[in-house]
Every structure is written in structure tokens, then in C-alpha cells.
């Protein structure tokens, strides 16, 4: 299982490293240390925590993660495989992105809960609501 440093987790959660560190210090997300003494968060724990944060609005920073438009780096929080099709959910900061794709594509990419992934969105129909 992939593990993430506090800095990587912060980027995936859409918060500052200081916020991620405070959450870890408060016991909101479990950490362990590697051989070099760095604090790491297991991918499955980070996936579960990212859902909790998104539902509770725990983030403190807004904004784009990259200069590439419509790219949402995040962590895989669910993979549902059917006979031919699959559904993959990614939590990208406060955004939950759900993609329907082929089972073959999921297997080729080796997607599983806790992995880092980027959702790229291309659409000819985007709806915008005014707040």
C-alpha cells in the first residue's frame, strides 16, 4: 500500500502542510514513521480521511492545483468493478469526482483505493450556477 508524506497529503487534501501536520498531531489521521523518521500516512487512511474532510469542510485553502485546466490531482477513494465497466471515485481536495470507464482501463492502470491519481475532465457541456 502506498504511503504519503505530510506534504503530499496536504497537497491532495487541498490544505497547507501545517494544517495537515496539526490534524496528524491531533490524531485526526493516523501516521507512522519510515526509516528516515518522516511521518507517513497510509493511502487507505488518507482516502478515508479525505472523505471526512470534504464532508466537514476541513480545508483552509482554495485554488488551482496546477496550471493545466481541468486537472484534479487527488486520491482514489473507491473502485467498483463490473463485468465490463467500472466506477472510480477520486477525492481532489474538497471535490469528489466520479468517473465511469472500462474495467480493462482500471486494471491496466492498477487503480485501487489509496492511490494517487489525477482526474482530467474534458467536456463540451459545462453548466455553471451562480451562487
Amino acid at each position: 500500500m502506498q504511503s504519503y508524506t505530510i506534504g503530499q497529503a496536504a497537497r491532495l487534501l487541498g490544505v497547507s502542510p501545517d494544517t495537515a501536520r496539526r490534524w496528524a498531531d491531533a490524531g485526526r489521521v493516523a501516521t507512522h514513521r519510515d526509516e528516515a523518521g518522516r511521518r507517513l500516512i497510509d493511502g487507505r487512511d488518507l482516502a478515508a480521511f479525505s472523505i471526512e474532510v470534504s464532508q466537514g469542510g476541513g480545508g483552509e485553502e482554495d485554488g488551482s492545483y496546477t496550471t493545466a485546466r481541468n486537472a484534479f490531482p487527488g486520491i482514489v477513494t473507491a473502485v467498483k468493478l463490473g463485468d465490463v465497466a467500472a466506477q472510480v471515485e477520486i477525492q481532489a481536495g474538497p471535490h469528489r469526482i466520479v468517473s465511469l470507464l472500462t474495467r480493462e482501463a482500471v486494471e491496466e492502470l492498477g487503480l485501487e483505493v489509496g492511490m494517487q491519481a489525477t482526474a482530467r475532465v474534458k467536456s463540451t457541456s459545462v453548466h455553471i450556477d451562480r451562487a
Side-chain angles (χ1 to χ4, degrees), residues 20-115:
R21 203 171 291 109
R22 282 193 302 272
W23 286 342
D25 290 344
R28 289 189 62 192
V29 63
T31 63
H32 63 280
R33 297 211 181 254
D34 67 5
E35 306 80 36
R38 295 179 306 168
R39 289 190 346 183
L40 300 175
I41 303 170
D42 285 333
R44 287 191 183 277
D45 292 338
L46 184 57
F49 184 67
S50 70
I51 292 169
E52 176 188 326
V53 168
S54 73
Q55 292 171 347
E60 69 178 20
E61 299 172 358
D62 291 328
S64 179
Y65 295 109
T66 179
T67 58
R69 291 188 180 155
N70 302 324
F72 300 92
I75 187 167
V76 176
T77 57
V79 177
K80 298 173 186 164
L81 296 175
D83 291 337
V84 176
Q87 178 178 314
V88 176
E89 294 182 23
I90 294 177
Q91 193 69 42
H95 308 289
R96 175 179 167 254
I97 300 167
V98 180
S99 178
L100 301 176
L101 56 163
T102 65
R103 179 185 181 122
E104 180 182 18
V106 171
E107 290 171 345
E108 284 179 5
L109 290 171
L111 294 177
E112 60 183 39
V113 171
M115 289 183 69

